[in-house]
Amino acid sequence: MSATMPFRLARAAVFAVVCLGLSALAHVFGGGSVAVPSLISGFGLALAAALPLSGRERSFGVILGLLAGLQAGLHLLFSLAHTVSAAEPFGHIHSGLVPGLGMLVLHGWAAGLIAMWLARGEAALWGLLRRLVVRLCLILAVHPDPAWTYRVRPWRAEPAIMRSAPLRHALSRRGPPEVVSAA
């Protein structure tokens, strides 16, 4: 199922805000400052990177790759825009363009956590949209309108019930054990 342009823009904007917010907060918590022009250009960068990918449901790997790449780009953007004041003789954590090990670990941890959160939201959103389309098709199949019948195909079954990812392949063995006869 593909999305329309307003829906794609909304999805890309949410992704850009989450990515930019994560980067800006991490930069400020690390002792840096974020200028308004950097925020605006960072939002444009994140929106431009997310818009081509917002047409359909994306997996965790795609979201993680995009988020990690944008985190690196925004880190460079904020580091280049940061000015060192006289009160910071040694600079702050983000003063160099090459990050330290601690910063890489924290950026990776945050990108992984946010990617998992966004992937679960992505799966829930597309599952909800699929269910809404199925319900709409069932309603139109019961009360067909001649203007809509040539465009909408009613589906026979609803999508599978959504389950959490860790329990997707779990077997339930509740109840008493089966009685096996020796005959």
Side-chain angles (χ1 to χ4, degrees), residues 3 10 13 15-16 22 42 54-55 61 68 82 84 108 119 131 162 164 170 175:
F15 181 85
L22 172 66
S54 65
H82 179 73
V84 179
R131 281 181 168 63
M162 289 178 37
S164 64

Side-chain angles (χ1 to χ4, degrees), residues 133-149:
V133 167
V134 166
R135 298 292 168 114
L136 179 64
C137 288
L138 289 175
I139 289 171
L140 291 176
V142 172
H143 304 290
D145 183 12
W148 286 83
T149 53

Side-chain angles (χ1 to χ4, degrees), residues 101-119:
L101 179 63
M103 186 183 306
L104 284 176
V105 168
L106 288 176
H107 271 290
W109 178 81
L113 187 66
I114 298 296
M116 283 190 331
W117 178 55
L118 287 172

Side-chain angles (χ1 to χ4, degrees), residues 53-132:
L53 297 175
S54 65
R56 61 186 177 91
E57 184 175 1
R58 298 296 171 186
S59 67
F60 170 74
V62 172
I63 293 172
L64 180 63
L66 181 62
L67 192 61
L70 282 172
Q71 288 297 311
L74 290 172
H75 171 79
L76 287 174
L77 177 71
F78 293 157
S79 293
L80 289 173
H82 179 73
T83 58
V84 179
S85 67
E88 300 178 84
F90 299 108
H92 70 292
I93 296 174
H94 289 83
S95 62
L97 292 179
V98 178
L101 179 63
M103 186 183 306
L104 284 176
V105 168
L106 288 176
H107 271 290
W109 178 81
L113 187 66
I114 298 296
M116 283 190 331
W117 178 55
L118 287 172
R120 293 299 296 162
E122 178 94 348
L125 173 70
W126 285 98
L128 176 68
L129 289 176
R130 282 190 286 273
R131 281 181 168 63
L132 287 175

